[in-house]
Amino acid sequence: MATRDVENGPVLGTPDDFSDRPERQGRFVVHVVIAILVAIVAGGWGYVMWTATGQATVPQQVVAFDASRPDSAGITFEISRPAGKGVVCRLRATDANHVEVGSKEVKIPAGEGYIRLRERLDTSAQASSVHIQACYLV
């Protein structure tokens, strides 16, 4: 408990009342070690995100679609597949509110190059658009 008066000086003392702070050794080394650890963690996380993209995607393009019938919709599309690999494409029909009204998975056997396909999807309501949700190698 401090018993000094405020007029006589600071309650906690002056800087001359305390001993000098000891010199810090190796501060640069600590910063270098932390920087190396951060770089390793960032590199590892980057590698995990790079490899976690899942299955390889396949280039695809919708050529045309027909959504004129209330119970089905058609789509014509092209894909490009590498030699010796099969492809699975998920097709999706949506209504005017972008609600899914039909879907279908199409399995395409192994081959090479571009292939044009025509598929029909059964729908639960009138579709306004049909698109390829995803195509991946199997």
Side-chain angles (χ1 to χ4, degrees):
M1 201 154 146
T3 57
R4 285 198 217 171
D5 290 335
V6 176
E7 292 85 30
N8 294 338
V11 174
L12 296 177
T14 63
D16 294 334
D17 295 340
F18 299 102
S19 60
D20 289 338
R21 183 181 293 182
E23 293 275 334
R24 289 192 179 206
Q25 303 277 331
R27 192 171 200 173
F28 177 73
V29 173
V30 170
H31 284 102
V32 168
V33 169
I34 291 172
I36 290 171
L37 289 174
V38 167
I40 290 171
V41 168
W45 183 253
Y47 178 76
V48 166
M49 290 293 104
W50 180 50
T51 58
T53 57
Q55 299 156 325
T57 59
V58 176
Q60 77 264 350
Q61 179 177 2
V62 174
V63 176
F65 69 87
D66 175 21
S68 60
R69 296 183 59 183
D71 61 342
S72 67
I75 183 170
T76 303
F77 63 100
E78 293 179 340
I79 62 162
S80 176
R81 57 192 170 169
K85 294 281 187 173
V87 176
V88 173
C89 289
R90 178 168 166 71
L91 309 176
R92 185 174 188 232
T94 57
D95 67 5
N97 294 320
H98 305 288
V99 175
E100 183 177 298
V101 293
S103 66
K104 182 178 186 179
E105 278 199 359
V106 179
K107 294 181 180 167
I108 302 144
E112 183 176 2
Y114 281 94
I115 183 171
R116 183 177 282 203
L117 300 163
R118 181 173 284 144
E119 292 292 329
R120 183 148 299 280
L121 291 81
D122 292 328
T123 59
S124 59
Q126 177 73 45
S128 64
S129 110
V130 185
H131 64 273
I132 302 168
Q133 190 171 9
C135 286
Y136 52 90
L137 298 173
V138 290

